[in-house]
Amino acid sequence: MSREQERAELHRTIWAMANDLRGSVDGWDFKSYVLGMLFYRFISENLAAHLNKFEREAGNADFDYAKLTDAEAELGREETVREKGFFILPSQLFCNVCRRADSDPNLNETLSTIFAAIENSAKGTESEPDFKGLFGDIDVNSNKLGASVQKRNETLVKILGTIADMKLGSDYADNNNDTFGDAYEFLMTMYASNAGKSGGEFFTPQEVSELLAKIAAAGRTSLNKVYDPACGSGSLLLKFAKVLGKDNVRQGFFGQEINITTYNLCRINMFLHDINYEKFDIALGDTLLEPKHWDDEPFDAIVSNPPYSIKWAGDTNPVLINDPRFSPAGVLAPNSKADLAFTMHMLSWLSTSGTAAIVEFPGVLYRGGKEQKIRQYLIDNNYVDTVIQLPDNLFFGVTIATCIIVLKKSKRDNATLFIDASKEFVHEGNKNKLAPENIERIYQAHAARRDEAHFAKLVPNAAIAENDYNLAVSSYVEQPDTREKIDIDELNARIAGIVERQAKLRAEIERLISQIA
């Protein structure tokens, strides 16, 4: 079976599983249990595979960590935590818990104890921040699973069984980590599409993530550090692992997220894509008011899909105008629209040779007032590299067409490239999607940085200033003339023919009238 066939089969299994199980727990809430159990299976198998490989390479050919006693396993706890960042006793491994699940009348409490033990295994170590509260959204005692302990345990048995039956491979060296990641991404896509706006708040479609990562990494085979200040479930950051290879992001993946549920999902997502704890730093908190990575900036590549036009403190907080991230523009983004506050934050933390690719709400391109003054700062200082108009209806819960603003601090010209990619999509179900050929065309236009009729236009910054710093793509990329071209001679001939036919009809009518009279 080919890799694509395996993926398609996996997706069908997940879809069937979700349809079968979500009757007990409604869609978006239920994803926490499915994703959480998927993560539990992943780290169990990941840890066992790591220890089995080590022992077997040392000559212990029959070693199987899952069959050890807990007492035997405890001897290696300290070294295992140092290498993997966490520890799971053999009796607490996913496979062993599944085997006993049907006969465990206290399954909910068993799982609760195991999840706490996994988190506690990292306490006092370098990996503690990456595991603290990681299972917080998997409430195995919730009434959402059932009205009684028995009903809750029946639902948990079903979830464990279906996760166990998912064909995720057995050879971690080949494809198992990618398969777990594929399963996670498909679940996120499926639940986001069904959840509407609540899902779209933190899920960026994979093809948009790929485009952003390709643009931010353009021309480079490796990067030191990548960053997303509103990282959601981490899909944008993880695209660098696929575009460049995770080992080519040398110092790791950095992000911040304000919502605790999605913060947990992002950390889970890192592990599911085999990004070990020392290679990522995901923080919880408000990026605009309490940024957590002052000691880590600047970043080589920044990608983000920050929340659209949310409220923030702005000029009600007298300290912010002196914040080095915002002060260079001489004005703060409006209190009711924080979009360009995120933009200024990313520009501030971008390295001199780096690139930031940011999904923006289209209003930031043309609105007046404070936003116009911030655009003036960006253009006058030659920080805007490219503005890309995307098709509408790409994002879950948002039908309006969004755009991408690409920022650079070191450009080779004093101009801004505008790309009209509003027609670059295929239609799938009730959404539009960037197909591979669409992504490639946009990427190549960005790299070429030259005019292309009705698609791309390189505009001197002086001309943008003359246009009141309006960055709307439609102001610079001319649309094709779709009006029907008229042949005047042919039109005159048609008119003459009509006049001649009218004369004949009138003559015929007059003849008929005279006969009647």
Side-chain angles (χ1 to χ4, degrees):
M1 186 181 292
S2 71
R3 181 77 180 92
E4 288 304 316
Q5 288 174 321
E6 288 179 353
R7 180 182 285 117
E9 177 62 27
L10 173 65
H11 291 177
R12 281 192 293 271
T13 301
I14 293 172
W15 183 261
M17 172 194 67
N19 283 334
D20 182 38
L21 292 176
R22 66 184 174 185
S24 305
V25 184
D26 288 338
W28 192 244
D29 290 328
F30 188 65
K31 63 107 178 49
S32 296
Y33 295 101
V34 177
L35 295 173
M37 293 302 183
L38 180 67
F39 174 61
Y40 173 38
R41 176 181 166 182
F42 169 79
I43 60 173
S44 292
E45 294 182 9
N46 181 279
L47 180 68
H50 170 76
L51 295 173
N52 289 345
K53 180 181 179 182
F54 178 81
E55 288 292 333
R56 290 168 188 175
E57 287 178 348
N60 192 355
D62 296 326
F63 183 84
D64 185 347
Y65 181 73
K67 293 181 180 179
L68 293 185
T69 66
D70 287 353
E72 291 171 325
E74 281 287 359
L75 299 174
R77 175 186 286 268
E78 187 175 335
E79 184 177 355
T80 301
V81 172
R82 188 164 51 248
E83 291 179 354
K84 298 297 292 181
F86 67 98
F87 185 74
I88 306 176
L89 289 167
S91 67
Q92 296 179 333
L93 290 172
F94 179 89
C95 61
N96 288 331
V97 172
C98 276
R99 183 169 46 81
R100 301 188 303 264
D102 274 330
S103 57
D104 185 353
N106 300 307
L107 178 61
N108 58 330
E109 293 302 326
T110 298
L111 289 170
S112 182
T113 299
I114 291 172
F115 295 158
I118 294 172
E119 290 184 16
N120 289 335
S121 71
K123 269 192 174 178
T125 72
E126 186 181 346
S127 62
E128 180 177 355
D130 299 314
F131 282 87
K132 186 177 181 180
L134 203 53
F135 291 95
D137 288 313
I138 311 172
D139 185 359
V140 292
N141 296 303
S142 171
N143 288 335
K144 293 177 181 179
L145 292 170
S148 64
V149 171
Q150 181 180 346
K151 290 294 184 183
R152 289 196 281 275
N153 284 340
E154 287 174 1
T155 302
L156 289 169
V157 167
K158 204 169 187 180
I159 294 172
L160 286 170
T162 51
I163 295 293
D165 289 341
M166 290 169 63
K167 296 178 181 179
L168 299 175
S170 58
D171 189 348
Y172 274 81
D174 281 345
N175 64 10
N176 207 41
N177 295 317
D178 283 342
T179 308
F180 268 105
D182 286 342
Y184 177 93
E185 290 173 2
F186 180 75
L187 276 163
M188 289 302 297
T189 303
M190 181 180 70
Y191 281 122
S193 64
N194 287 326
K197 186 175 181 180
S198 63
E201 283 173 357
F202 66 88
F203 186 78
T204 304
Q206 292 299 312
E207 65 276 6
V208 178
S209 301
E210 181 178 347
L211 175 61
L212 293 171
K214 289 187 69 165
I215 288 173
R220 307 179 75 163
T221 57
S222 65
L223 294 164
N224 271 335
K225 294 179 286 188
V226 298
Y227 174 64
D228 183 349
C231 60
S233 61
S235 62
L236 278 169
L237 285 173
L238 285 164
K239 274 302 172 185
F240 286 107
K242 291 193 174 182
V243 169
L244 297 174
K246 62 185 177 68
D247 293 333
N248 290 321
V249 181
R250 294 186 294 271
Q251 294 181 40
F253 304 79
F254 296 78
Q256 186 163 338
E257 172 57 37
I258 195 170
N259 181 287
I260 191 167
T261 297
T262 48
Y263 160 69
N264 288 336
L265 286 175
C266 185
R267 292 185 295 160
I268 287 174
N269 205 1
M270 291 290 160
F271 285 114
L272 286 177
H273 284 80
D274 202 34
I275 309 296
N276 211 23
Y277 75 92
E278 75 276 4
K279 289 295 293 288
F280 71 85
D281 185 345
I282 307 300
L284 176 66
D286 186 330
T287 298
L288 298 180
L289 301 183
E290 299 177 284
K292 304 295 186 182
H293 294 104
W294 282 109
D295 296 334
D296 302 304
E297 58 95 6
F299 297 97
D300 292 335
I302 300 176
V303 289
S304 194
N305 177 20
Y308 303 144
S309 298
I310 62 166
K311 295 179 180 179
W312 78 304
D315 58 16
T316 64
N317 184 335
V319 175
L320 289 176
I321 192 59
N322 297 314
D323 189 305
R325 297 171 297 160
F326 310 125
S327 60
V331 65
L332 296 170
N335 297 13
S336 60
K337 300 177 181 68
D339 308 70
L340 290 181
F342 281 103
T343 302
M344 289 295 294
H345 166 80
M346 286 180 258
L347 176 66
S348 176
W349 284 18
L350 185 65
S351 69
T352 303
S353 59
T355 302
I358 312 161
V359 177
E360 302 269 18
F361 196 74
V364 303
L365 302 177
Y366 54 79
R367 289 190 296 238
K370 295 178 178 180
E371 291 180 306
Q372 183 185 35
K373 291 180 180 178
I374 294 174
R375 291 197 305 273
Q376 178 177 350
Y377 166 76
L378 296 174
I379 292 297
D380 286 352
N381 287 277
N382 200 27
Y383 290 138
V384 182
D385 178 80
T386 308
V387 181
I388 303 169
Q389 180 64 58
L390 292 175
D392 61 11
N393 203 26
L394 286 179
F395 290 80
F396 301 110
V398 180
T399 58
I400 195 169
T402 53
C403 62
I404 295 172
I405 293 181
V406 181
L407 302 178
K408 288 185 178 181
K409 289 183 174 178
S410 301
K411 290 168 57 182
R412 63 177 185 263
D413 55 29
N414 196 32
T416 300
L417 180 68
F418 292 87
I419 298 174
D420 184 359
S422 58
K423 303 296 189 295
E424 291 295 313
F425 66 89
V426 294
H427 198 68
E428 286 193 2
N430 61 354
K431 304 296 296 179
N432 293 331
K433 180 179 181 180
L434 298 178
E437 58 269 23
N438 303 132
I439 295 172
E440 186 62 19
R441 188 183 183 200
I442 298 168
Y443 174 73
Q444 290 300 333
H446 169 262
R449 202 165 179 77
R450 61 171 178 262
D451 292 357
E452 182 179 339
H454 312 305
F455 188 68
K457 183 73 174 178
L458 189 62
V459 180
N461 287 341
I464 297 173
E466 290 175 3
N467 195 26
D468 295 327
Y469 298 96
N470 186 331
L471 295 181
V473 173
S474 59
S475 297
Y476 304 99
V477 180
E478 184 180 358
Q479 293 296 307
D481 187 354
T482 57
R483 293 174 300 177
E484 182 182 357
K485 292 184 178 179
I486 299 173
D487 185 320
I488 298 298
D489 292 337
E490 181 185 350
L491 179 60
N492 286 335
R494 288 170 61 189
I495 292 172
I498 292 170
V499 170
E500 184 180 350
R501 285 196 299 275
Q502 282 181 327
K504 288 181 179 179
L505 285 170
R506 284 194 183 117
E508 181 63 20
I509 291 170
E510 289 173 359
R511 185 184 65 80
L512 291 172
I513 291 173
S514 65
Q515 287 179 353
I516 295 171

